[in-house]
Amino acid sequence: MSLLTDTRYALRTFRREPVFVAGVVLTFGLVIGTNAAMFGLVQRLMLAPPPGVRDAERVMRVATTLTADDGTAFTMETTSYPAFRDLATLDRAFDAVAAVSADSVTTGEGADLVEVPAVKASGQYFAVLGVRPAAGRLFGPSDDALPNGNDVVVLGHAFWQRRFAGQPGAVGQELVVDGQRLTIIGVTPRGFNGTDLAPADLFLPLTTAMRNRGAGWWSDPRIRMVSIVAHLRDGVRVPEAEALALQTLRETLPAGGTDRLTAVPLESVMPGRAARTTPQARIALWLTGVSVVVMLIATANVGTLLLLRAAKRRREVAVRLSLGARLMHLARQSLVESLLLSLFACGLGLALAHWIGNIVRVTLLPDIAAVTDFIEPKVLVASVAMACAAGLLTSLGPITQLTRRNLSLELRAGGGHGSSGRVAYQHALVAVQVAMSVVLLIGAGLFVRSLERVQSQDLGFSTARLLHVTLDFRGPIPGPERDRAIVEAARRVATIPGVTAVTVVQGMPFSSHNIPPIHVPGYEMPSPAAQQLPIMYAAGPAYLDMMGVKLRDGRLFTREDTAGTPLVVLVNETMARTMWPGRSAIGACVQAGYAGDPMVGDPMSAAAALPCRTVVGVVRDSRARSLRTEGSEARLMQYYVPLGQAPPAPFPNVPEYHGILVRAAGEPDRWVTPIERIIQSTSARPVYARVSPYQTLIDPQLRSWRLGATLFSGFGLLALAIAAVGLFAVVSYLVTQRTREIGVRLALGASAGGVARLVVRDAVKMTAVGGVIGIAIAMLAAPLVQSMLFETSSREPVVLIAAALVLSVVTVSAAAVPAWRAGRVSPLIVMQADW
């Protein structure tokens, strides 16, 4: 009953202080909502089973570990279809086994063709995962018979809602997928996207999706293009299943292979510990860690406000104590008020969590499927527990002050007396806020500086006004015919007004690469395992001009370098320096290409039988795969051959051309749709045109630095704003406490400016302690972020100085208004009030 009375009293008190309550609830609510959203993402990425998958602990991903003759071991997540068929018979270890290939497909026709993510799986796929349909039925083994499969497709729940508005009548309709008319037979349950984090709109029988690929994909054990998931039989332990799988798959290796199968690792589809190594999980952990820091800042801020509020009410509390109120009752009342404020904020935060979480997911984690509900039971419990813990912490200051009261002094006080203990609490809370804010500010400075440096570095080529185009033909098409179709598509793109240059390409930096066997007389090429082999680009004069390739020695290609002229090659500076040290590379011989079947014998030795290509020029180095300036990927050997002199593909019917490079006037984004439409609407074959500004090929590598800059800057500014509010409140309170002293100073001749400077100086002293602590914490934590920075020291002095300057500006700004008020105190009024 007394608890109910305390609650009613607290609510009546809150009605008299709407501004204070709104400030606390908004501050806490925003931070709790952010933390709830982060907890929801971590739950999705690292703790929860994939939505819709039953008994996920016993659903295993099957990998294979191969060991080369030199002892080098590497694990591959993909394997061959024959290996899958062998594992499917291993009923001593598994209840069911499925082959899976996550890919994209097209829906629609002509200019309206769109690409959607899809899962192509064998007939036991849904049985392995224990999935039940939301509508219709799911495909099974009878729909996945070799070689062609049935003309059926299953819709993902989100795609069903988006394309068919969730109508049950969608089941039975036809959908054009990769040019095939398939019948919709069912819909997966809400949230189900398979075993991965990426979204999946369609699910197709593997044999249906691959019917136009020929028989090689399912008959040749050298072709690795499927992943395997299996449901572990009850009573079988993982090591036992791994041993049985290893024994079974050893017979599947192709004869004459140089790599030995040494292990078949099994890993549950439950994220667990392995998820810590994924980029998405690392991002989520950083988000959570930073949001917890902001939560600590907000807790300290609210604790400061409650402490100041308690100080203003000390005369009221003294009167109640003198009239017989019990100290325990007042302490309980203070605790109830803090908990109520925290729970109100928790309610607001949970209401904001879904909105905040989706913003974070879309902007920072675009590769994962939408989370349908961030507020799962575990997240709800964690959020309420966090709110209650914050409420308990913020109540400690006011409760402690109740035990340190001098009733006679409090009853006489009119507002100008305070205790040193109370001031120490206030200073400590401000120091905590400032220290944590400085840590986030330094983090923001380091990542912003890294982002600036990585964006301003010279790549060796220019992406300005360039677009990258690849064509995905749906259906079987011989390589030479595909090449002709790409050339024809390039010709049509060149007719678009505003397009200034077009060329077909074979390999581009940060895109597709061609790395054929190579031999240079007099140079011993290391094994591929020991060093990255040189990358080859087949390019004409237009390509060199569009990419801004700079000549260092010799000459570039001309239009006369065609199929009927002597073979020539350009090499980059790294290749020239590595293969011909101390002498000019001009005139040297390079033998590159495929001689015979690359899967048989030593392709490097076979390359020595090919004709020489004469080096006619040395060009500037450029980035090919990585933006980082250290490591083996920083400076790779690269060379260029004229497009008409490109070596033939290793297999019959493999296309020579990889795509189209386009330069257009203005911003590249505005040309994406026109290029897509002119290719898709005029092609003689069903084709999907992937068109993107060239910069988008590089942007994924910028994500970590952009994430760090966005994350720390956003949270740092929020934390600094919260800390500034707390500092303003404390300085205002201290000015009120020192009103009599200030009046005396002014009466004795002190200037208003001098008093204002005194207040500001005291505020700077107050924050200096927190600033020093924050810098010390940042220095200690520096090794944790050093590997994520780009050419930036985690202890860079410029960043530390900038953080100190920002803190100084915020401190002066927060203290400016209280200082101005202090300078306007009337000595006469103060002395009369004191008298």
Side-chain angles (χ1 to χ4, degrees), residues 270-398:
M270 286 287 293
R273 293 179 180 270
R276 296 180 185 178
T277 61
T278 64
Q280 297 93 337
R282 288 197 297 270
I283 291 172
L285 288 175
W286 273 105
L287 288 170
T288 303
V290 174
S291 62
V292 168
V293 171
V294 177
M295 184 67 191
L296 293 176
I297 296 172
T299 301
N301 177 267
V302 173
T304 302
L305 297 179
L306 289 176
L307 192 61
L308 297 178
R309 178 173 176 265
K312 292 179 181 179
R313 298 171 63 188
R314 66 184 184 276
R315 185 177 178 87
E316 170 199 336
V317 172
V319 170
R320 295 177 66 182
L321 287 172
S322 65
L323 294 177
R326 290 184 300 172
L327 190 62
M328 185 60 68
H329 179 212
L330 295 180
R332 187 182 66 212
Q333 203 167 72
S334 178
L335 177 60
V336 167
E337 289 180 355
S338 296
L339 287 175
L340 281 177
L341 288 172
S342 298
L343 291 175
F344 290 159
C346 184
L348 175 63
L350 292 176
L352 295 174
H354 186 83
W355 177 70
I356 295 173
N358 271 324
I359 290 178
V360 172
R361 183 191 61 80
V362 170
T363 56
L364 301 180
L365 297 166
D367 297 330
I368 72 170
V371 179
T372 55
D373 189 6
F374 284 92
I375 312 305
E376 298 180 357
K378 291 181 181 178
V379 176
L380 178 61
V381 171
S383 300
V384 174
M386 178 173 56
C388 292
L392 289 172
L393 288 174
T394 55
S395 68
L396 291 179

Side-chain angles (χ1 to χ4, degrees), residues 471-823:
L471 304 186
D472 192 349
F473 292 91
R474 306 298 172 166
I477 177 172
E481 185 178 342
R482 178 189 173 105
D483 289 337
R484 289 192 293 272
I486 292 176
V487 171
E488 177 59 23
R491 187 193 63 77
R492 292 196 300 272
V493 170
T495 64
I496 300 176
V499 171
T500 58
V502 179
T503 184
V504 295
V505 293
Q506 186 186 101
M508 286 182 286
F510 296 92
S511 179
S512 56
H513 290 99
N514 192 4
I515 309 178
I518 185 172
H519 175 75
V520 174
Y523 178 80
E524 183 177 352
M525 189 68 63
S527 66
Q531 181 176 338
Q532 170 67 50
L533 295 178
I535 297 173
M536 187 194 78
Y537 303 110
Y543 174 91
L544 301 176
D545 175 66
M546 293 166 70
M547 296 293 287
V549 176
K550 301 298 183 182
L551 183 67
R552 289 288 188 254
D553 191 17
R555 69 172 178 88
L556 296 176
F557 297 146
T558 66
R559 296 185 181 278
E560 283 70 37
D561 293 317
T562 61
T565 61
L567 301 179
V568 294
V569 63
L570 303 175
V571 299
N572 74 340
E573 294 169 295
T574 294
M575 186 168 174
R577 186 169 53 250
T578 302
M579 294 188 171
W580 302 279
R583 59 191 179 94
S584 174
I586 303 299
C589 169
V590 174
Q591 296 163 285
Y594 300 92
D597 190 339
M599 304 297 292
V600 178
D602 183 2
M604 308 299 287
S605 299
L610 296 172
C612 276
R613 298 173 183 269
T614 303
V615 177
V616 296
V618 178
V619 297
R620 185 176 60 161
D621 280 343
S622 62
R623 293 281 186 267
R625 294 184 174 187
S626 175
L627 293 177
R628 290 195 174 272
T629 56
E630 70 279 356
S632 59
E633 288 286 312
R635 295 288 187 223
L636 295 175
M637 292 189 287
Q638 302 171 65
Y639 61 103
Y640 303 78
V641 300
L643 199 62
Q645 297 181 2
F651 298 107
N653 289 330
V654 173
E656 302 286 351
Y657 304 141
H658 295 167
I660 303 170
L661 188 64
V662 181
R663 184 169 61 194
E667 291 298 322
D669 291 308
R670 63 185 289 254
W671 298 100
V672 171
T673 300
I675 293 174
E676 286 177 348
R677 290 194 169 275
I678 197 170
I679 293 176
Q680 292 176 183
S681 62
T682 59
S683 174
R685 284 182 167 272
V687 61
Y688 177 73
R690 295 189 182 94
V691 184
S692 59
Y694 202 100
Q695 183 62 35
T696 61
L697 301 177
I698 303 172
D699 283 344
Q701 295 203 28
L702 295 172
R703 182 178 297 173
S704 62
W705 295 297
R706 282 180 176 160
L707 167 67
T710 303
L711 170 67
F712 280 96
S713 297
F715 281 110
L717 292 175
L718 175 61
L720 201 60
I722 293 173
V725 171
L727 180 61
F728 171 81
V730 170
V731 174
S732 298
Y733 172 75
L734 293 179
V735 168
T736 302
Q737 294 295 96
R738 300 174 62 185
T739 300
R740 185 176 184 278
E741 174 197 338
I742 292 172
V744 171
R745 285 176 178 270
L746 291 171
L748 293 176
S751 66
V755 170
R757 285 192 295 272
L758 175 65
V759 173
V760 172
R761 185 169 63 248
D762 289 345
V764 171
K765 290 180 180 178
M766 192 187 314
T767 58
V769 175
V772 171
I773 295 174
I775 291 175
I777 293 174
M779 294 299 96
L780 291 174
L784 298 177
V785 298
Q786 184 61 66
S787 63
M788 302 174 65
L789 303 178
F790 180 83
E791 294 185 352
T792 302
S793 169
S794 56
R795 297 183 174 93
E796 187 155 324
V798 173
V799 174
L800 301 180
I801 294 171
L805 289 176
V806 171
L807 177 61
S808 301
V809 171
V810 170
T811 300
V812 172
S813 301
V817 173
W820 177 76
R821 290 176 178 171

Side-chain angles (χ1 to χ4, degrees), residues 64-125:
T64 54
T65 299
L66 303 178
T67 302
D69 291 338
D70 60 1
T72 304
F74 52 96
T75 299
M76 304 180 66
E77 294 183 357
T78 58
T79 188
S80 65
Y81 192 85
F84 151 70
R85 284 188 301 188
D86 287 349
L87 282 182
T89 64
L90 191 57
D91 53 10
R92 288 183 295 166
F94 306 115
D95 290 322
V97 181
V100 186
S101 175
D103 201 353
S104 61
V105 297
T106 60
T107 63
E109 297 176 284
D112 297 325
L113 205 66
V114 295
E115 190 175 43
V116 298
V119 170
K120 305 168 184 178
S122 60
Q124 288 284 1
Y125 177 71

Side-chain angles (χ1 to χ4, degrees), residues 137 139 143 150-155 170-177 180-186 203-205 208:
R137 70 174 182 90
F139 61 75
D143 298 304
N150 291 340
D151 294 332
V152 297
V153 62
V154 173
L155 307 182
V171 176
Q173 293 187 30
E174 281 191 344
L175 184 69
V176 179
V177 179
Q180 305 178 79
R181 295 190 177 276
L182 306 181
T183 301
I184 300 170
I185 60 171
F203 297 83
L204 293 88
T208 301

Side-chain angles (χ1 to χ4, degrees), residues 422-510:
R422 184 182 303 122
V423 172
Y425 268 119
Q426 296 159 356
H427 285 197
L429 290 173
V430 170
V432 169
Q433 297 175 63
V434 170
M436 295 301 168
S437 300
V438 167
V439 171
L440 296 180
L441 283 177
I442 292 174
L446 293 174
F447 278 100
V448 167
R449 197 154 180 81
S450 292
L451 183 61
E452 289 176 348
R453 286 174 173 169
V454 74
Q455 287 180 324
S456 62
Q457 72 168 316
D458 185 5
L459 298 177
F461 62 90
S462 172
T463 64
R465 300 188 294 118
L466 292 183
L467 295 103
H468 172 252
V469 183
T470 58
L471 304 186
D472 192 349
F473 292 91
R474 306 298 172 166
I477 177 172
E481 185 178 342
R482 178 189 173 105
D483 289 337
R484 289 192 293 272
I486 292 176
V487 171
E488 177 59 23
R491 187 193 63 77
R492 292 196 300 272
V493 170
T495 64
I496 300 176
V499 171
T500 58
V502 179
T503 184
V504 295
V505 293
Q506 186 186 101
M508 286 182 286
F510 296 92

